């Protein structure tokens, strides 16, 4: 059992690193097409080796760090961000069970009865990497970026939790595989579109993606919490951001879009198709929408999104109980 979990974990980490690397390539290509540019097309056929070239560049860059930092926390912060992003995939189910060499293998690493609670807990902890990086860098811009990340998380995490509670009420379970099975006849996005919309808005804020990328706003904070990070340390933050995009997209697919369910017996294929659509959506929004002012971001979180999420929860609870 331990060997099986270890093998699944190693395969998952390798695939996520590969996916995150090529997400950077896809983002550059899609944004270039949307903005009538060429995008990366020089390294390898069709530019497909660009992520490898970027990785080599970041690995071989000169190492530096500012004076008077907190060295242990400064080096630990990127690792925290990446570890917590990767941990989400321990709980995400990609299918039921398959028969491999006469052995039943579940297409997930772990199945916890309170899976949704664990997802919320670890997604909320991800901000620790940001705030610790900002504090340990001995840079005011970095510190402001870390504080912004904390305030942003508090503002949007509550609404995210309330939107996920509506799914729990509808499914009658906290287990992710059981929530997927509850959508076999209809996906929850059709019966709860407001909950899905609220979740997606909060997901953009949780991942610090445009138009909610204020913790790293270059026009105000130079680079925000990762201003003093370069080379591989910066690459780890960058990697964590893209793995986080995959994580929040996978949660949305599992809770609102039927998870691995689809026509035919192709669970992993359908999950990956839905995941690719979400990744394209994240890129599309970044290329389309302008960054909000920080007061607009906070006001929208507390004065618009939270009341809407509360109303949606009460509305769903009423219909479930009645």
């Amino acid at each position: 059992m331990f060997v099986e979990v270890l093998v699944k974990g190693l395969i998952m980490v390798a695939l996520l690193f590969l996916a995150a690397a090529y997400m950077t390539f896809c983002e550059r290509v899609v944004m270039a097409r949307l903005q009538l540019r060429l995008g990366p097309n020089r390294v390898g056929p069709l530019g497909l080796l660009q992520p490898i070239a970027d990785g080599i560049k970041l690995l071989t860059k000169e190492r530096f760090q500012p004076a008077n930092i907190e060295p242990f926390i400064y080096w630990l912060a990127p690792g925290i961000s990446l570890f917590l992003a990767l941990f989400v995939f321990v709980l995400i189910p990609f299918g039921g069970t398959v028969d491999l060499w006469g052995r039943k293998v579940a297409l997930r690493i772990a199945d916890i009865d309170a899976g949704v609670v664990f997802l919320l807990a670890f997604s909320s902890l991800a901000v620790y990497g940001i705030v610790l990086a900002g504090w340990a860098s001995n840079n005011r811009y970095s510190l402001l970026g870390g504080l912004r990340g904390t305030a942003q998380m508090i503002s949007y995490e509550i609404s995210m939790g309330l939107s996920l509670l509506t799914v729990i009420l509808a499914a009658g379970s906290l287990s992710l595989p059981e929530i997927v099975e509850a959508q076999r006849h209809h996906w929850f996005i059709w019966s709860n579109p407001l909950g899905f919309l609220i979740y997606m808005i909060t997901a953009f804020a949780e991942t610090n993606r445009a138009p909610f990328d204020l913790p790293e706003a270059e026009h105000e904070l130079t680079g925000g919490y990762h201003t003093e990070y370069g080379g591989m340390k910066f690459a780890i933050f960058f990697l964590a951001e893209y793995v986080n995009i995959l994580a929040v997209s996978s949660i949305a697919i599992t809770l609102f879009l039927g998870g691995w369910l689809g026509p035919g017996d192709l669970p992993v294929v359908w999950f990956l198709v839905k995941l690719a659509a979400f990744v394209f959506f994240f890129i599309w929004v970044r290329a389309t929408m302008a960054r909000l002012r920080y007061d607009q971001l906070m006001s929208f979180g507390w004065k618009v999104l939270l009341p809407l999420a509360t109303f949606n929860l009460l509305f769903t609870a009423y219909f479930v109980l009645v």
Side-chain angles (χ1 to χ4, degrees):
M1 187 65 176
F2 173 76
V3 174
E4 179 182 329
V5 171
L6 180 62
V7 170
K8 286 181 181 178
L10 292 174
I11 293 173
M12 181 66 66
V13 169
L15 291 176
L16 286 172
F17 282 178
L18 182 65
Y22 273 91
M23 276 175 67
T24 65
F25 173 77
C26 292
E27 181 165 43
R28 293 167 70 179
V29 169
V30 171
M31 289 185 67
R33 295 296 183 268
L34 292 173
Q35 297 167 355
L36 302 180
R37 297 184 289 107
L38 291 178
N41 61 359
R42 290 291 184 270
V43 186
L46 303 176
L48 288 172
L49 299 181
Q50 186 65 52
I52 297 174
D54 291 340
I56 294 172
K57 179 189 73 173
L58 289 167
L59 278 169
T60 55
K61 287 187 76 171
E62 181 183 1
R63 291 170 55 183
F64 72 89
Q65 65 184 42
N68 302 320
I69 62 168
E70 292 288 339
F72 176 72
I73 296 176
Y74 175 81
W75 285 87
L76 181 65
I80 291 175
S81 293
L82 183 58
F83 170 77
L84 291 173
L86 291 170
F87 184 85
V88 171
F89 287 91
V90 171
L91 302 175
I92 297 293
F94 295 91
T97 57
V98 294
D99 192 359
L100 291 178
W101 302 290
R103 179 186 178 88
K104 293 290 184 181
V105 178
L107 295 177
R108 56 184 176 274
I109 296 177
D111 181 15
I112 300 175
D113 290 338
V116 178
V117 176
F118 273 80
L119 285 180
L120 280 172
F122 276 87
S123 65
S124 64
L125 288 174
V127 76
Y128 275 85
I130 294 174
V131 71
L132 289 177
W135 176 75
S137 294
N138 190 31
N139 180 300
R140 290 183 177 83
Y141 289 134
S142 299
L143 181 59
L144 283 172
L147 291 174
R148 281 185 173 190
T150 306
Q152 194 164 303
M153 186 277 294
I154 294 170
S155 302
Y156 286 83
E157 188 76 19
I158 300 172
S159 299
M160 175 182 279
L162 293 177
S163 69
L164 297 188
L165 276 175
T166 60
V167 173
I168 295 168
L169 286 172
S173 174
L174 289 166
S175 170
L176 295 173
E178 290 180 13
I179 290 174
V180 173
E181 288 297 333
Q183 300 175 76
R184 188 163 288 278
H185 301 295
H186 73 281
W187 296 351
F188 289 147
I189 187 176
W190 308 124
S191 57
N192 189 13
L194 181 57
F196 175 74
L197 177 63
I198 292 169
Y199 174 80
M200 284 309 302
I201 294 172
T202 59
F204 276 92
E206 288 278 309
T207 53
N208 299 319
R209 293 282 295 186
F212 301 105
D213 54 343
L214 273 298
E216 55 191 68
E218 66 273 2
H219 68 297
E220 298 173 8
L221 304 180
T222 308
Y225 62 92
H226 55 59
T227 298
E228 300 292 357
Y229 285 86
M232 204 56 205
K233 298 187 294 296
F234 170 77
I236 293 173
F237 271 125
F238 208 58
L239 196 62
E241 179 180 322
Y242 283 93
V243 174
N244 262 322
I245 293 172
L246 294 173
V248 297
S249 300
S250 298
I251 294 171
I253 292 166
T254 303
L255 299 183
F256 291 98
L257 293 177
W260 67 81
L261 299 177
D265 189 20
L266 300 168
V268 177
V269 172
W270 282 115
F271 194 97
L272 293 178
V273 167
K274 296 172 187 178
L275 189 59
F278 269 91
V279 169
F280 175 78
F281 180 65
F282 269 86
I283 297 170
W284 186 14
V285 170
R286 181 187 174 185
T288 305
M289 298 191 68
R291 182 182 291 133
L292 299 176
R293 292 199 320 265
Y294 200 72
D295 61 310
Q296 292 173 331
L297 179 143
M298 297 297 292
S299 178
F300 182 73
W302 288 109
K303 297 180 180 179
V304 178
L305 215 55
L306 183 57
L308 268 179
T310 304
F311 166 78
N312 189 50
L313 176 62
L314 295 175
F315 184 78
T316 303
Y318 173 78
F319 274 93
V320 168
L321 292 174
V322 171

